[in-house]
Amino acid sequence: MTTRTDDAAPARSVSLGGPLIRFRVAAYATGVALLGLVVEMLLQYVFRVELPQFVKMIPMVHGGLYLIYLLLAVDLAIKARWSMKGTLLVLIAGCIPFFSFVMERKVTHKVDAGLKL
């Protein structure tokens, strides 16, 4: 009787739970900040409303959140081994209103299914 020994151990998968959650939070925060920026710009430049100083800080808030979004998206892209095209689409999503929400859902479904973007 022979016993079977497998020399090749199964490939160790990288847990994407943490990076995915961080990316999702950043995507939502960036999307909300971008919508706030759009509203602020419409009020200021289209309707000529004089805004309080704290509202004028929305562009800086969005910029900071977008930088965090970029870093977390690249981190997830490296760990999930996304294609360059998929990574670039996700990175651009933080600049187009509502697109970060759409991409967040797509990324979540793909990562949960174990698929590459």
Side-chain angles (χ1 to χ4, degrees):
M1 196 156 208
T2 60
T3 58
R4 183 177 166 205
T5 59
D6 290 325
D7 290 331
R12 184 176 168 178
S13 64
V14 176
S15 173
L16 297 175
L20 180 61
I21 290 172
R22 288 189 292 272
F23 168 77
R24 292 182 71 191
V25 169
Y28 275 111
T30 302
V32 169
L34 182 57
L35 293 177
L37 177 61
V38 169
V39 169
E40 184 260 343
M41 290 177 71
L42 286 173
L43 289 174
Q44 187 172 2
Y45 297 113
V46 175
F47 299 110
R48 305 283 186 202
V49 174
E50 185 61 36
L51 300 172
Q53 190 62 34
F54 74 91
V55 175
K56 293 180 181 180
M57 293 181 59
I58 292 176
M60 289 187 295
V61 171
H62 170 67
L65 289 173
Y66 183 63
L67 287 175
I68 293 168
Y69 170 83
L70 290 176
L71 292 172
L72 294 175
V74 167
D75 177 52
L76 183 59
I78 291 169
K79 290 177 180 171
R81 298 180 180 226
W82 293 348
S83 68
M84 185 64 77
K85 178 183 171 187
T87 303
L88 288 175
L89 283 174
V90 171
L91 296 178
I92 292 170
C95 296
I96 303 170
F98 298 105
F99 199 48
S100 65
F101 302 118
V102 173
M103 286 305 289
E104 182 275 330
R105 293 308 312 152
K106 182 177 181 178
V107 165
T108 300
H109 289 300
K110 293 266 188 175
V111 170
D112 284 344
L115 303 173
K116 293 183 181 181
L117 194 62

